[in-house]
Amino acid sequence: MPADKGTGDLPMALPGVGVSLRSGTESDLPALVAIEQLCFLPPWPPESFLRDLRNPSAYVLVAEQAGKIIGYLCCWLIGDEAHILKVAVHPNRRRLG
């Protein structure tokens, strides 16, 4: 996601849980698709993630732990409203605090 999207203080670490948040990039696509396939039936195709990664009104945030993507959030900001499209966490990283 380009820096001009107004992501503020990203990347950001979440104290005590070892998770950091950052803007997603096209290089994250394989990990996003892998988590998507574990979490949703039917899963979004890769093209849907690419659309949001390239859309100036869309935001893709990824959650990382120990350098590995463990989740993501996809949303659109339109005017003063946010529309959450997807939230996913790898099944092995759920309910851990």
Side-chain angles (χ1 to χ4, degrees):
M1 180 169 14
D4 63 345
K5 282 193 169 185
T7 55
D9 295 330
L10 292 177
M12 178 178 85
L14 302 176
V17 294
V19 174
S20 62
L21 301 176
R22 65 170 175 79
S23 299
T25 66
E26 289 187 30
S27 65
D28 297 323
L29 187 61
L32 297 174
V33 170
I35 293 171
E36 175 76 8
Q37 291 174 342
L38 291 170
C39 295
F40 298 104
L41 290 175
W44 268 8
E47 296 79 18
S48 294
F49 286 101
L50 283 174
R51 177 199 63 217
D52 284 345
L53 287 164
R54 294 173 178 166
N55 180 344
S57 296
Y59 291 80
V60 178
L61 302 178
V62 297
E64 287 186 321
Q65 190 172 46
K68 184 176 179 181
I69 295 174
I70 62 166
Y72 61 85
L73 165 85
C74 299
C75 67
W76 291 352
L77 294 183
I78 302 169
D80 62 350
E81 296 183 13
H83 178 71
I84 297 173
L85 303 169
K86 288 273 184 168
V87 177
V89 175
H90 191 287
N92 291 343
R93 305 308 309 155
R94 296 177 189 166
R95 299 184 175 269
L96 297 176

